Amino acid sequence: MFDILLPEQSEFPLYQQLYLQIREGIRNGDIPDGQRLPSVRALQLQLNVSKTPIETAYQMLTSEGYVISKPRSGLYVINPYKELSHHHQQQTPSITTMSVMHSNGHLNQDQGVIDFNPTRLDQASFPVRTWNKMLKEALEQHVSEMGMYGDPQGEYGLRTVVSEYLRNSRGVISTPDQIVIGAGTAYSMGLLTRVLPELKHIAVEEPGYSLVRDQFHLNGCDLLPITLSDKGISLDQLESSHAQLVYVTPSHQFPTGSIMPYPERERLLEWANTRNAYIIEDDYDGEFRYQGKPIPSLQGLDHNGRVIYAGTFSKVLTPTLRMNYLVLPPALLNHISHKRQEVFFAPSRVEQWAMTAFFEQGHWYRHIRKVRNLYRKRHHQLIELIEAYLGRFVEITGQNSGLHIQLIVKKEVSSEELIQRAANVGVIVYDLRKMWMNHQQDANQFPRLYMGFASLNAADMEKGIRLLQKAWNMD
């Protein structure tokens, strides 16, 4: 147990005070890696507050990767840089321990550390001036609405342009009425548990996106991990399970990068139709494909209203803009139309107005073309560097789309040791272990690591790969 002392007066809301205190405790080592956090009920009794701010703080911590949910056990601290943040450490600092930490917990690349972070984007490509212009115009053009609450489902203008964009780019068939604008993936997954309260048995990919899995767990769902093949989620296992809903990332499975072929998509849709079940299709980086033609979205192939489509602006524009969208089947939307005010909570109206103008004036499409070309170039550069310096010692998979690759290292060594060797020479790579519910590496299986490329220029990538060649003895 750890102590939380809330000030009598604070400029921050209660949930943010809790979030900040726990986050700082994790960062500085007061709350050690692996410690179980108190349950919502226990913390509620300790602090004598309602459970809502505690649940909100816990959701923020899970969404940022500071804690992980273990089914039927609770929330546990997960700090991949525990040796960097623990203030009691006495040994001589390595290159990683001397590096400065960003506010999001990642190492500051300006200090000489090369971070192949799978979630980070190129910060220089964000159109700062254009976005500032959109915000200014939004305030000026909507001044008469500043004293009013907006549509809890999202501004109709934004839903209209999103519906049109999805139809043209991903083959998603929808009307603006089916679009729900949300404040991030964690919000949207929590919303779906309220929209579908009777569906408690949820199948998830193993490994899969831990943020989504944790949200389901926090909302009392029974999680059924389904293993993966090179064609995505195992449909044999899914069909033999008692799942009522399945969460999949078919266009670029996270984290392995596999793509679900067309026949498997048809079979998955048939499963949902036969079982009267639902599919959540998370198309989190569907804009980035480097080989072949994109396979149509599951939602576009669905003729029975069984697919809930989820997408985000984060991978194209910036993760700091907490805005995403869902496309709900018409019957499901009708089912909850009488309680929209209780279910939906849209993000800032000003940012929604700005995003609408960003679409309508063509900036979104120009920006996509720009970053798609940039990331395609960096994707090819990283693969060429790996083949040149690491060659026969590794195998690259999951490289057809997205912003990261999976690297199979053909050495009799654990992923932990490879990560540590890399850190010793100032390079950060990932095994994304928290993406597994039940991680058990086969003794005969080579370690798998994950490397992002969106935030690195060619010089840093080459330096990083050459350092890995040395650290992993692949000369």
Side-chain angles (χ1 to χ4, degrees):
M1 181 65 67
F2 52 85
D3 293 327
I4 293 181
L5 300 177
L6 297 176
E8 293 184 3
Q9 293 183 337
S10 174
E11 60 181 307
F12 299 111
L14 184 55
Y15 76 88
Q16 194 167 2
Q17 296 177 50
L18 291 169
Y19 159 74
L20 291 172
Q21 283 207 32
I22 298 173
R23 187 191 70 176
E24 292 310 306
I26 293 171
R27 285 184 176 181
N28 63 32
D30 287 338
I31 307 175
D33 182 73
Q35 177 168 324
R36 183 178 183 274
L37 295 184
S39 67
V40 172
R41 176 62 174 165
L43 202 54
Q44 182 183 7
L45 293 174
Q46 178 186 339
L47 300 176
N48 193 27
V49 298
S50 71
K51 68 177 183 178
T52 301
I54 301 173
E55 290 176 339
T56 302
Y58 277 3
Q59 288 177 356
M60 292 172 68
L61 290 164
T62 56
S63 69
E64 295 188 3
Y66 288 105
V67 300
I68 187 172
S69 173
K70 295 184 179 181
R72 297 176 293 278
S73 180
L75 292 174
Y76 290 81
V77 171
I78 179 167
N79 184 357
Y81 303 109
K82 52 185 176 292
E83 69 276 8
L84 305 180
S85 60
H86 200 294
H87 67 287
H88 296 302
Q89 186 175 15
Q90 297 296 322
Q91 61 263 41
T92 302
S94 65
I95 187 170
T96 53
T97 59
M98 291 187 291
S99 300
V100 177
M101 300 287 283
H102 280 306
S103 61
N104 62 3
H106 298 305
L107 291 166
N108 187 339
Q109 205 157 284
D110 296 336
Q111 304 300 314
V113 173
I114 298 174
D115 189 353
F116 287 94
N117 192 311
T119 65
R120 190 178 294 174
L121 305 183
D122 179 71
Q123 61 184 17
S125 66
F126 179 72
V128 176
R129 292 183 179 178
T130 302
W131 186 248
N132 277 336
K133 181 173 180 286
M134 297 300 99
L135 288 171
K136 182 179 179 181
E137 290 181 3
L139 289 170
E140 292 174 347
Q141 295 175 9
H142 296 272
V143 64
S144 63
E145 301 173 68
M146 294 303 290
M148 298 181 287
Y149 289 103
D151 190 325
Q153 191 174 328
E155 297 300 301
Y156 192 83
L158 179 56
R159 289 189 276 136
T160 300
V161 296
V162 168
S163 179
E164 180 182 1
Y165 164 69
L166 293 177
R167 181 177 64 254
N168 295 331
S169 66
R170 300 296 295 126
V172 173
I173 308 303
S174 69
T175 66
D177 290 336
Q178 292 174 248
I179 307 292
V180 178
I181 304 299
T185 300
Y187 160 82
S188 292
M189 294 305 118
L191 181 151
L192 290 177
T193 63
R194 296 192 295 273
V195 170
L196 300 165
E198 70 281 3
L199 302 186
K200 290 298 184 183
H201 303 294
I202 301 180
V204 293
E205 298 166 326
E206 174 74 318
Y209 192 19
S210 62
L211 168 66
V212 168
R213 194 172 63 227
D214 291 346
Q215 289 305 310
F216 291 145
H217 176 62
L218 285 171
N219 284 279
C221 299
D222 177 28
L223 299 179
L224 309 173
I226 307 294
T227 59
L228 299 171
S229 69
D230 59 353
K231 296 180 180 180
I233 196 168
S234 170
L235 296 177
D236 289 336
Q237 286 188 32
L238 178 64
E239 289 167 350
S240 63
S241 75
H242 57 282
Q244 302 164 292
L245 184 150
V246 61
Y247 168 86
V248 292
T249 51
S251 295
H252 187 236
Q253 199 281 329
F254 187 83
T256 67
S258 64
I259 297 173
M260 182 178 285
Y262 184 87
E264 279 68 24
R265 296 184 185 221
E266 290 280 12
R267 182 177 167 187
L268 179 57
L269 289 168
E270 180 61 26
W271 167 84
N273 191 42
T274 302
R275 293 285 189 89
N276 200 31
Y278 284 98
I279 302 166
I280 300 175
E281 177 187 12
D282 190 347
D283 202 16
Y284 68 98
D285 61 0
E287 288 84 3
F288 303 110
R289 185 173 176 87
Y290 310 114
Q291 296 180 17
K293 294 183 179 180
I295 299 175
S297 65
L298 275 171
Q299 198 273 359
L301 301 172
D302 176 27
H303 303 297
N304 299 291
R306 310 316 304 177
V307 176
I308 301 165
Y309 182 89
T312 180
F313 301 118
S314 296
K315 292 298 181 181
V316 172
L317 197 55
T318 170
T320 60
L321 183 68
R322 306 302 298 170
M323 194 184 301
N324 72 326
Y325 46 85
L326 294 174
V327 181
L328 299 182
L332 193 57
L333 192 61
N334 293 336
H335 174 65
I336 59 169
S337 60
H338 63 285
K339 53 179 181 179
R340 291 169 71 250
Q341 298 286 345
E342 293 83 2
V343 174
F344 300 133
F345 301 94
S348 159
R349 295 190 78 189
V350 175
E351 291 184 343
Q352 289 187 71
W353 292 329
M355 182 63 76
T356 303
F358 198 72
F359 269 90
E360 290 176 340
Q361 297 181 27
H363 301 302
W364 173 263
Y365 300 95
R366 285 189 287 273
H367 184 69
I368 279 186
R369 288 194 295 270
K370 174 184 174 181
V371 294
R372 185 179 284 149
N373 290 333
L374 173 66
Y375 295 152
R376 180 184 289 112
K377 181 178 179 180
R378 291 184 176 178
H379 166 267
H380 294 336
Q381 289 172 334
L382 178 60
I383 290 177
E384 289 174 357
L385 288 166
I386 290 173
E387 291 174 345
Y389 291 104
L390 307 183
R392 61 187 177 88
F393 295 103
V394 301
E395 177 184 349
I396 302 170
T397 61
Q399 73 273 31
N400 292 331
S401 61
L403 301 177
H404 74 276
I405 62 168
Q406 179 177 249
L407 193 68
I408 301 173
V409 182
K410 300 177 182 179
K411 277 185 169 286
E412 302 294 334
V413 64
S414 68
S415 60
E416 296 97 324
E417 183 173 346
L418 290 172
I419 290 172
Q420 186 57 55
R421 288 188 195 176
N424 289 341
V425 297
V427 180
I428 307 298
V429 293
Y430 299 79
D431 66 359
L432 300 184
R433 179 159 302 204
K434 69 178 182 177
M435 301 304 162
W436 293 79
M437 286 184 65
N438 305 301
H439 187 274
Q440 293 181 342
Q441 182 173 321
D442 190 329
N444 299 318
Q445 186 182 64
F446 290 121
R448 295 167 185 255
L449 301 175
Y450 300 92
M451 303 175 68
F453 51 83
S455 65
L456 295 171
N457 60 38
D460 284 338
M461 279 195 285
E462 180 170 7
K463 179 181 177 182
I465 296 301
R466 294 184 69 171
L467 287 169
L468 290 179
Q469 179 192 41
K470 177 181 178 181
W472 294 344
N473 299 320
M474 292 182 176
D475 300 83

